[in-house]
Amino acid sequence: MQPKYLLALAGLFLFNLSYGFQSKAKLTGFVTDAKTGESIPGATVRLVDTSLGNITNDAGFYTIENITPATYSVQVSFVGYETVIKYGVVIRSGGIPDVNFQLKEAISELDEVVVIANPFEKIEETPLSIQKLSREEIATYPGGNNDIAKVVQSLPGVGGSVGGFRNDVIIRGGAPNENVYYLDGIEIPNINHFATQGSAGGPVGLLNVSFFEGVTLSTSAFGAQYDNVLSGVLQFDQRRGNARDFKTNIRVGSSETALTFEGPLFKKENEDSNTSFIVSVRRSYLQLLFELIGLPILPDYWDYQYKLTHKLDDYNELLITGVGSIDDFRVNELDEFDEEQQATQDQVPIIKQQTNTIGISWKNRFKDGTGFMTTTLSNNRLENDFRQFTDNINQTGLFLQNVSVESETKLRYNYTKFLDQWTISGGLSLQNVNYENETIDLVNNFQYDGDINFFRYGFFGQANKRLWDDRLSLSLGVRFDANTFTNDGDNLLETFSPRISAAYTFDAQRKWSVNASLGRYFKIPPYTILGFTNNAGAFANQNAEYIRSDHAVLGLEYLVTPSARFTLEGFYKKYDNYPVSITDSVSLANLGGDFSVLGNEPIASVGLGRTLGVEFLYQKKFTKNYYLIAAYTFYKSEFTAFDPDVYLPSSWDSRHLLSLTGGYQFGNNWEISGRMRYLGRTPFAPVDREATLANYPAIIRDFSQIGAERLDTFNQIDLRIDKKWNYANWTLNVFLEIQNVLGSDIPEEPEFGLARDADGMVLSPRGLVQIMGIDNSSVLPSIGIVIDF
């Protein structure tokens, strides 16, 4: 069939869709007490600026019917509680999840005063440097491509690796492995496919955004329950599966297809089930596209995710959740010679990875409503087969290998008690660590088999209190961590980790507030470091120390309207005991942003570091048909190696980070959104051309010159256009996403390869040449389809 007829049919199809019957929709959900989890019957739920609403029943459940599909603000109120408004709630005819609310008790001297909760929710132990995203904000983020790691990179103070095919999360100048990730309170080691072992990152996220109730990012102040964190905590809250009906979500994007299915188990007629599930599987077809257009790499992956919730009774609940991936990164034989693609084919690793995390949690709420306790048992496992060859096509000439299995089994216990205006919590964690490693590194003359098995344990306590008619909140916390492997690891006093935070609201209208935090945090070095064995068969890094980071943050917040705010924050981070590579004389804080393995080498815990900066944010929730986030961060990040007096810029010292994100909704369910990101000139370590030629295709860098050269500034604008059609019991969403709309040149480090003739044959004698004229300013359009029913 000729193209013109295809276009005509497509136009006719869209015409019919746009003029089809638009069904009415309904909104459901639960309203509970934010502290106790108790249901709140009789709460009023209404759609703002409409006459639609309802009252919650005895179970705290509400239903609002006959809603015209659109985006609304939803308000919930009840006597004695702060009124809560959720902005930007998309209501559609098919597959909409429950929209749940947690209300906090209102503390006011005047009973008739209506207190509106701050929509930019704070946590007592983290009153500043915190961002929350709803599931709708995540799913429709421009330039995010349904990838949570890319979405997070647009938040204030968060950047990514520049110019690379990666998803690193760089928070306020800290290394990628300084962050921790939690899925419903269960720690997961990484959120990306093809992860860099010992660090983080990877080209594609492995979490399905269809699961999320919301995401919370803390970037400078952390509760004492979190261990092993230096820069950021990302908490992913997954929604429960529907306990009444079966629902399906199908998403087809530019690189993958995802299927999500949810519903009740063991359901009795006309009753909500006590057991519900939600499960998804995603499959990449990126490798097929890359092979079709002749690119030198073929990234292939699967991932899966699930959550099972079972209500034992009114006070006890079990939750089972898990996530995993199967990754295969290989090369594609080129049809014709291209010097850039040939260099990529030469230098990329061959990677096969499998990851799996599974956990079970039991939450027990006390019958008198004075607290709860949570017990979690989980296991995460990474199998990594990483190899580099002199001939990647035939996989011959092995010169670097890391075949390893990394496993953690964790038991966590948390007890929380409410005493008047105090909230007291405490707990412990116990982990068994097993790390097996077979390494061949012919470049640095290391070859060993390592196997370590040891325990990590920790204790924490936290106390929060609200004072002066809820105008002042205080939080004090302390944590201790230890392990049975490192030489001084069982000394709890060495990891004494205190933290304090406070927030004060100046005026009765609660528009102006000042927030501050001060804390000390520790992280055990990666297992790739601890498991390194020298050629004599000894664990060379058993004397490694916990990395220490001291944080001080001060911020001011002003609520312009109930849905908009300004914030201004200053922050300072000071590092100690950072691992320094004995081989390359560089702080490992500068590494981890490539597709290698971080830490398989001897180190010394002598590095220092410091990061300081200021951050400005304006944020407006979705009202009057648009939302807007504008954030600017200026920071300076630098680290030492063996000389404590010589600070060099870190690999993440971009100095300037600017992001603008916004969206506008037109009539008839059309929406346009955009994102602009600007990153200052980022330092890099130049290639040591002589050493690289001697070891090619291994790339050797001169880390003594880090900061002597910087990349050009990074600037990219992404657009997204969405159109939704609502029909009886199902919804269709078609979106067009255009990345790098202006065709900006993406800065990249100079690339080198062997000198070759026009046919791709290596010239003799061998020489190393810089590859010139690479054009990476492409505009990248993609189309996606989302179906809910």
Side-chain angles (χ1 to χ4, degrees):
M1 185 177 290
Q2 295 183 12
K4 63 180 180 180
Y5 296 119
L6 290 174
L7 290 174
L9 285 174
L12 182 61
F13 174 69
L14 292 177
F15 178 86
N16 287 332
L17 282 175
S18 62
Y19 282 90
F21 175 73
Q22 178 161 296
S23 294
K24 294 293 185 178
K26 71 176 180 178
L27 180 68
T28 58
F30 291 87
V31 179
T32 57
D33 186 292
K35 261 189 176 183
T36 67
E38 296 277 355
S39 301
I40 300 181
T44 301
V45 185
R46 69 180 188 91
L47 306 187
V48 177
D49 296 328
T50 77
S51 59
L52 298 175
N54 211 335
I55 305 296
T56 57
N57 64 17
D58 290 342
F61 181 76
Y62 71 89
T63 301
I64 304 175
E65 298 183 324
N66 296 316
I67 305 172
T68 300
T71 301
Y72 297 87
S73 296
V74 184
Q75 176 179 297
V76 179
S77 58
F78 188 68
V79 176
Y81 287 84
E82 295 181 353
T83 296
V84 171
I85 301 176
K86 282 192 176 182
Y87 298 93
V89 177
V90 177
I91 299 179
R92 53 184 184 265
S93 60
I96 179 172
D98 289 345
V99 177
N100 302 316
F101 293 84
Q102 293 80 40
L103 305 188
K104 292 182 178 180
E105 286 189 76
I107 301 174
S108 176
E109 296 176 355
L110 300 176
D111 293 338
E112 65 270 17
V113 173
V114 177
V115 180
I116 306 295
N118 187 338
F120 310 100
E121 183 184 358
K122 300 177 184 179
I123 303 173
E124 282 86 351
E125 58 265 28
T126 312
L128 72 179
S129 309
I130 186 168
Q131 298 293 324
K132 289 178 176 287
L133 293 174
S134 70
R135 60 169 171 256
E136 295 294 348
E137 290 171 325
I138 297 165
T140 61
Y141 222 75
N145 195 27
N146 295 299
D147 189 329
I148 188 58
K150 286 185 172 63
V151 172
V152 168
Q153 288 175 8
S154 293
L155 293 176
V158 183
S161 297
V162 180
F165 186 49
R166 291 183 60 80
N167 258 354
D168 294 300
V169 177
I170 313 298
I171 297 178
R172 290 180 172 177
N177 67 348
E178 295 181 8
N179 312 315
V180 294
Y181 310 100
Y182 283 85
L183 195 66
D184 286 336
I186 295 170
E187 186 177 359
I188 55 177
N190 201 282
I191 59 173
N192 289 293
H193 290 279
F194 310 104
T196 299
Q197 191 168 11
S199 182
V204 184
L206 64 81
L207 297 179
N208 187 348
V209 296
S210 299
F211 264 68
F212 295 151
E213 181 75 26
V215 175
T216 302
L217 172 66
S218 307
T219 56
S220 273
F222 320 115
Q225 69 269 33
Y226 301 114
D227 65 319
N228 230 36
V229 55
L230 298 178
S231 280
V233 177
L234 262 171
Q235 303 171 70
F236 303 98
D237 296 320
Q238 300 179 111
R239 58 188 180 86
R240 302 165 182 264
N242 194 293
R244 299 172 301 281
D245 305 296
F246 292 101
K247 296 182 181 294
T248 303
N249 171 276
I250 300 172
R251 188 177 70 247
V252 180
S254 60
S255 61
E256 66 188 21
T257 298
L259 172 65
T260 304
F261 185 58
E262 63 178 297
L265 293 175
F266 321 116
K267 183 179 181 298
K268 298 180 180 178
E269 190 174 355
N270 298 323
E271 291 184 12
D272 286 2
S273 175
N274 287 329
T275 308
S276 64
F277 73 92
I278 179 170
V279 61
S280 78
V281 62
R282 297 193 305 171
R283 177 70 169 107
S284 161
Y285 46 78
L286 200 61
Q287 73 283 0
L288 303 177
L289 297 176
F290 281 18
E291 187 171 19
L292 183 65
I293 61 180
L295 293 182
I297 56 174
L298 301 175
D300 183 6
Y301 63 85
W302 289 82
D303 61 50
Y304 53 89
Q305 198 168 335
Y306 56 89
K307 178 178 179 178
L308 179 72
T309 306
H310 178 64
K311 181 180 177 182
L312 297 170
D313 55 38
D314 289 340
Y315 301 98
N316 291 276
E317 183 178 71
L318 287 178
L319 181 154
I320 300 174
T321 191
V323 61
S325 64
I326 302 173
D327 303 338
D328 186 1
F329 191 96
R330 59 191 189 278
V331 298
N332 182 31
E333 189 167 4
L334 302 174
D335 293 330
E336 57 184 41
F337 172 68
D338 176 276
E339 62 175 357
E340 178 195 1
Q341 293 190 3
Q342 182 65 56
T344 300
Q345 186 186 83
D346 289 344
Q347 297 166 24
V348 297
I350 308 297
I351 304 174
K352 294 182 184 296
Q353 276 188 6
Q354 291 190 35
T355 67
N356 182 65
T357 298
I358 182 172
I360 180 169
S361 293
W362 168 41
K363 184 173 182 178
N364 169 238
R365 294 188 295 110
F366 304 155
K367 292 183 179 180
D368 58 3
T370 61
F372 62 89
M373 61 181 182
T374 305
T375 305
T376 301
L377 179 65
S378 65
N379 174 267
N380 56 262
R381 180 182 176 91
L382 166 65
E383 298 180 21
N384 188 33
D385 189 329
F386 175 98
R387 303 171 194 254
Q388 285 188 278
F389 301 90
T390 56
D391 180 355
N392 271 334
I393 294 296
N394 298 303
Q395 296 190 13
T396 59
L398 178 70
F399 68 90
L400 182 59
Q401 169 187 291
N402 179 73
V403 179
S404 63
V405 176
E406 181 177 309
S407 176
E408 296 175 304
T409 301
K410 307 178 182 183
L411 176 66
R412 296 180 184 272
Y413 174 77
N414 187 335
Y415 179 93
T416 300
K417 186 73 172 178
F418 308 128
L419 301 171
D420 294 326
Q421 297 305 307
W422 285 92
T423 299
I424 309 295
S425 62
L428 56 87
S429 61
L430 176 64
Q431 304 182 32
N432 176 247
V433 176
N434 185 68
Y435 177 65
E436 303 172 13
N437 187 22
E438 297 178 13
T439 290
I440 298 174
D441 183 352
L442 300 184
V443 176
N444 295 300
N445 193 30
F446 299 136
Q447 185 167 347
Y448 64 91
D449 293 346
D451 187 353
I452 57 176
N453 190 293
F454 65 97
F455 286 92
R456 291 170 50 191
Y457 53 97
F459 308 91
F460 75 90
Q462 191 98 35
N464 305 328
K465 184 174 176 59
R466 292 181 175 271
L467 303 165
W468 301 344
D469 200 20
D470 216 18
R471 299 269 289 272
L472 174 67
S473 68
L474 293 173
S475 179
L476 297 170
V478 64
R479 183 174 183 93
F480 301 89
D481 286 286
N483 74 88
T484 61
F485 179 76
T486 60
N487 292 343
D488 200 26
D490 58 353
N491 187 347
L492 287 170
L493 293 179
E494 288 292 320
T495 58
F496 173 60
S497 177
R499 70 278 317 266
I500 181 173
S501 61
Y504 179 72
T505 302
F506 292 105
D507 56 326
Q509 292 76 29
R510 303 189 180 193
K511 290 189 173 183
W512 287 95
S513 62
V514 61
N515 313 292
S517 68
L518 185 67
R520 170 167 288 181
Y521 311 101
F522 289 90
K523 172 182 173 60
I524 193 171
Y527 303 139
T528 50
I529 290 177
L530 301 182
F532 172 76
T533 304
N534 60 25
N535 292 334
F539 291 113
N541 297 327
Q542 202 161 1
N543 61 345
E545 299 181 39
Y546 280 81
I547 307 167
R548 190 181 80 196
S549 179
D550 297 332
H551 290 222
V553 191
L554 180 64
L556 187 68
E557 179 183 72
Y558 173 63
L559 289 180
V560 185
T561 69
S563 61
R565 66 168 173 170
F566 285 105
T567 66
L568 180 66
E569 289 184 11
F571 58 89
Y572 177 75
K573 293 192 290 186
K574 182 178 181 296
Y575 295 89
D576 204 350
N577 302 334
Y578 226 107
V580 175
S581 167
I582 294 175
T583 304
D584 295 319
S585 296
V586 60
S587 171
L588 267 63
N590 293 293
L591 308 181
D594 58 14
F595 290 99
S596 186
V597 176
L598 173 70
N600 281 359
E601 58 181 319
I603 61 94
S605 296
V606 297
L608 305 176
R610 58 195 180 197
T611 299
L612 69 161
V614 62
E615 186 171 281
F616 167 83
L617 168 70
Y618 172 75
Q619 183 177 10
K620 178 186 177 296
K621 294 284 189 178
F622 184 89
T623 54
K624 298 181 179 178
N625 293 332
Y626 78 97
Y627 71 92
L628 179 65
I629 303 174
Y632 170 71
T633 306
F634 171 79
Y635 64 96
K636 185 177 182 181
S637 173
E638 52 190 10
F639 290 83
T640 71
F642 287 105
D643 189 339
D645 297 321
V646 179
Y647 283 85
L648 295 176
S650 79
S651 297
W652 331 109
D653 183 45
S654 303
R655 302 292 174 92
H656 302 278
L657 178 58
L658 172 67
S659 64
L660 300 172
T661 306
Y664 186 87
Q665 285 193 357
F666 301 90
N668 204 23
N669 291 319
W670 283 93
E671 180 178 357
I672 185 170
S673 54
R675 174 180 71 165
M676 188 277 281
R677 290 178 295 156
Y678 173 88
L679 199 63
R681 301 185 65 199
T682 303
F684 65 93
V687 170
D688 185 329
R689 300 182 63 165
E690 182 178 346
T692 297
L693 179 59
N695 293 278
Y696 191 87
I699 303 299
I700 311 300
R701 299 188 177 276
D702 183 359
F703 288 103
S704 68
Q705 297 299 310
I706 190 169
E709 298 183 53
R710 289 177 179 257
L711 299 174
D712 292 335
T713 58
F714 167 82
N715 183 21
Q716 180 171 316
I717 296 177
D718 306 319
L719 286 180
R720 174 168 167 153
I721 301 172
D722 284 79
K723 167 62 177 171
K724 295 182 179 68
W725 292 271
N726 290 277
Y727 295 91
N729 301 320
W730 72 286
T731 300
L732 171 65
N733 179 18
V734 178
F735 63 87
L736 169 66
E737 194 163 71
I738 307 173
Q739 295 188 41
N740 198 21
V741 171
L742 300 182
S744 303
D745 192 47
I746 307 302
E748 287 187 328
E749 298 179 23
E751 188 173 1
F752 294 88
L754 292 180
R756 299 174 184 267
D757 62 21
D759 296 322
M761 301 301 294
V762 177
L763 298 177
S764 183
R766 293 203 331 168
L768 195 70
V769 296
Q770 183 173 345
I771 298 171
M772 307 298 291
I774 302 172
D775 182 9
N776 59 2
S777 60
S778 301
V779 178
L780 302 176
S782 63
I783 295 177
I785 298 173
V786 182
I787 300 173
D788 289 281
F789 59 91

